[in-house]
Amino acid sequence: TFASNKIKVAILAVFITLLFAALGWYTVVIILQKRPPPLPETPRVESLIKINTERQVIFTNASDQEGARALLKELAQRKEEAGTLTEIQFNSQNQTSVTPKEVLAITGVELSSEIADSVREVKLFLTYSFFGGRLVVVLAVSNASEAAFNLSANEPELLKTLPGLFLEENKDPFPAFENETYRNTDFRVSRFDPERDEVLTYAAIPSKKLVVLSTSQRGMELVMERIFQ
């Protein structure tokens, strides 16, 4: 009888253990069923513009064009070593991606619809020299050869809109564009004050599907060096 009671207790203990295990498993299943499905991971979009820089500055509200230009002016007035390249990155307050048109709007540059519609990405950089920081705009486009043709055809308009890239004040008037070459890459330049490197310049680089706009010839050359690194 004593042995019989021990067997009954053991069976009861096993039963209780199995019961709790079953309840635990049932609870886990219910929790998993009620848990919302995991959010799909946002695929990381690789940048089309690959340029190494010494520094990056992030502005958190791309829709605030006045604030963004004020930031660019402040950064341009800083004392930096000549040849330094700073990338200006933009985020939106609601964490949505910033469109190329929003970034271009900050610069004040107006491009023809043929070029604007082909722009896939825009990045802004500041290049530094003895005369301070100068703005450089790099565009990733669908077809850089077509963009070069359209830019060339619209050079009179570029002479009116590109001076907006000067952050301190507009320069006017600019002479006609001339041909220049740097490291086997052709670009066009209009010189307002060559001694102070105050110019308008643009280049199309078909092999990289890029267009570069700058207010500094040295800035243009520096960005070209980084593009072909």
Side-chain angles (χ1 to χ4, degrees):
T1 58
F2 179 76
S4 176
N5 288 337
K6 287 184 65 176
I7 293 172
K8 290 179 180 179
V9 170
I11 293 174
L12 181 60
V14 171
F15 175 77
I16 292 173
T17 302
L18 292 174
L19 179 61
F20 276 104
L23 287 173
W25 175 252
Y26 179 76
T27 302
V28 170
V29 170
I30 294 299
I31 292 174
L32 289 176
Q33 287 178 343
K34 290 184 177 180
R35 191 191 329 184
L39 295 174
E41 291 187 8
T42 303
R44 183 178 178 181
V45 179
E46 187 176 357
S47 175
L48 301 171
I49 302 171
K50 299 178 176 64
I51 297 176
N52 294 324
T53 61
E54 280 70 40
R55 192 165 55 141
Q56 292 82 36
V57 175
I58 300 176
F59 186 70
T60 56
N61 186 5
S63 60
D64 180 9
Q65 296 180 16
E66 184 176 344
R69 283 193 68 84
L71 171 70
L72 291 173
K73 289 180 181 180
E74 177 187 339
L75 292 173
Q77 292 169 358
R78 291 184 179 180
K79 299 297 182 182
E80 297 283 355
E81 184 179 351
T84 299
L85 188 62
T86 297
E87 179 183 349
I88 315 298
Q89 299 177 357
F90 295 93
N91 292 334
S92 62
Q93 284 188 319
N94 58 4
Q95 300 303 312
T96 58
S97 59
V98 179
T99 66
K101 288 185 178 180
E102 287 179 293
V103 181
L104 274 178
I106 293 169
T107 69
V109 172
E110 296 180 7
L111 300 173
S112 67
S113 59
E114 294 87 355
I115 298 175
D117 291 343
S118 72
V119 175
R120 302 170 63 191
E121 186 180 0
V122 180
K123 283 190 177 183
L124 303 187
F125 301 87
L126 284 170
T127 62
Y128 289 87
S129 69
F130 174 78
F131 302 107
R134 297 287 177 77
L135 189 60
V136 179
V137 183
V138 182
L139 316 173
V141 295
S142 302
N143 189 316
S145 296
E146 288 184 5
F149 175 81
N150 288 319
L151 286 168
S152 178
N154 288 280
E155 282 189 350
E157 291 302 314
L158 291 179
L159 291 174
K160 298 176 183 178
T161 182
L162 287 187
L165 292 177
F166 282 97
L167 298 170
E168 66 278 8
E169 60 182 76
N170 285 347
K171 313 290 183 181
D172 188 64
F174 274 83
F177 283 96
E178 303 172 350
N179 289 324
E180 273 289 353
T181 301
Y182 184 73
R183 295 196 174 184
N184 299 318
T185 301
D186 296 330
F187 62 96
R188 299 279 283 167
V189 58
S190 169
R191 296 179 174 88
F192 178 82
D193 186 345
E195 292 185 359
R196 293 182 54 83
D197 193 24
E198 293 180 344
V199 306
L200 298 177
T201 178
Y202 72 86
I205 307 175
S207 63
K208 302 291 185 178
K209 294 186 177 181
L210 298 178
V211 168
V212 184
L213 312 172
S214 178
T215 54
S216 161
Q217 182 167 335
R218 180 60 193 131
M220 169 68 78
E221 294 169 352
L222 176 62
V223 169
M224 282 185 178
E225 291 172 5
R226 304 295 177 94
I227 287 174
F228 289 108
Q229 274 184 344

